Amino acid sequence: MMQSVWGPVRQEMFDLLQTHPDDVPAVVDQLTKLQDILGRVPPLLAENPLCDFNKLYLTITEGVLERLYAGKFKDPAFLSRLDVEFAARYFDALRAWAGPEASPLCPRVWSGLFQRIPGPDCRPLPAACAGVNAHINFDLPFALVTTFDHLGTDPIDDSDQHLDYLQINEIFAHSIPGLRRGYLDKWQLLIDTMNGSLDDWWQGEAVEYTRNVAWRNAQKLWGLRHDMSATDKERAHLDRVAADLGKLLLSPLGEFLQ
């Protein structure tokens, strides 16, 4: 599977995924290297759908790093740890997909996007949205739980950690317009111009809503963290729900709605 998926960049992909980044600059570095490798995966090269999500993810993570350097977060240790834990789940999904027994070990929601890598039936905006769906609706709640467990704190509403978490919505809101227009064809750009800021607004609202749901799911998982059976059931449930949404986003209907 690894050879058939990654072709001539197989060894580079394998080497890149051997370790997890341990801080936010390292996450940015790994995402940057991954973007270069993904752009050389045949047959679509830089037009393969995972490039579209990885570009978005890199842009958002660079925004997080800028705010960390600027001292904008109340609890930078929390945001840094969350960023690292969050990225690890994306890299783990890629590692599972690239392994000798890829699909059974990879979450269903990620498999749905990774299967599109050879193309050609996936356009840029739906691909990016499907990646955001997988990473926020499935990965983020577990990354939050691991982060809070590591730091010895609880996911409490209106805490410094929660307020820092909500700041990421601002980074999305700032980045979405430029990123989204970069995914559109000329005829879509014309419609987008006619809509004014409406598309930017509702997609920003969608990200904020989804991240709020992820926070609530993390609080639920936090209460289950000592019950492995219940946690596994919740993991399977979240994967199934996110995978179903991913299918919709990647369908002709989902593309039309976007």
Side-chain angles (χ1 to χ4, degrees), residues 20-219:
H20 286 154
D22 56 7
D23 56 27
V24 182
V27 172
V28 169
D29 180 65
Q30 189 147 332
L31 288 170
T32 302
K33 292 175 179 175
L34 181 58
Q35 188 71 17
D36 173 68
I37 294 173
L38 289 172
R40 291 184 280 116
V41 175
L44 298 183
L45 306 179
E47 295 184 0
N48 90 64
L50 194 52
C51 278
D52 301 311
F53 166 69
N54 196 82
K55 176 183 177 182
L56 183 153
Y57 189 19
L58 174 58
T59 299
I60 299 300
T61 307
E62 288 173 335
V64 172
L65 184 59
E66 288 176 5
R67 291 200 175 208
L68 280 169
Y69 284 153
K72 296 293 183 66
F73 296 113
K74 296 176 178 293
D75 189 344
F78 164 75
L79 241 298
S80 297
R81 186 71 190 188
L82 177 59
D83 197 275
V84 168
E85 295 289 345
F86 195 33
R89 279 149 181 80
Y90 171 46
F91 296 133
D92 283 345
L94 271 170
R95 185 182 300 107
W97 183 255
E101 299 179 9
S103 298
L105 299 177
C106 185
R108 287 175 55 189
V109 64
W110 279 117
S111 295
L113 178 58
F114 294 164
Q115 287 169 353
R116 305 295 186 101
I117 291 173
D121 61 336
C122 188
R123 301 185 64 82
L125 184 56
C129 291
V132 170
N133 164 61
H135 210 27
I136 293 180
N137 283 322
F138 180 66
D139 291 339
L140 184 52
F142 295 98
L144 281 163
V145 169
T146 306
T147 298
F148 281 113
D149 186 59
H150 176 81
L151 297 176
T153 55
D154 299 295
I156 300 172
D157 289 351
D158 300 322
S159 62
D160 286 349
Q161 293 83 7
H162 188 213
L163 295 176
D164 284 345
Y165 175 83
L166 295 177
Q167 274 201 56
I168 308 303
N169 297 340
E170 299 173 14
I171 298 175
F172 269 99
H174 176 76
S175 303
I176 280 176
L179 285 166
R180 187 173 58 79
R181 291 183 180 91
Y183 297 137
L184 302 180
D185 293 329
K186 289 183 179 179
W187 67 270
Q188 292 172 313
L189 283 169
L190 176 61
I191 296 175
D192 186 75
T193 300
M194 295 170 62
N195 287 339
S197 60
L198 178 62
D199 289 339
D200 296 332
W201 174 80
W202 82 257
Q203 288 190 344
E205 289 293 304
V207 168
E208 182 174 344
Y209 172 81
T210 303
R211 294 189 78 255
N212 285 341
V213 171
W215 177 267
R216 297 300 173 207
N217 284 331
Q219 290 177 318

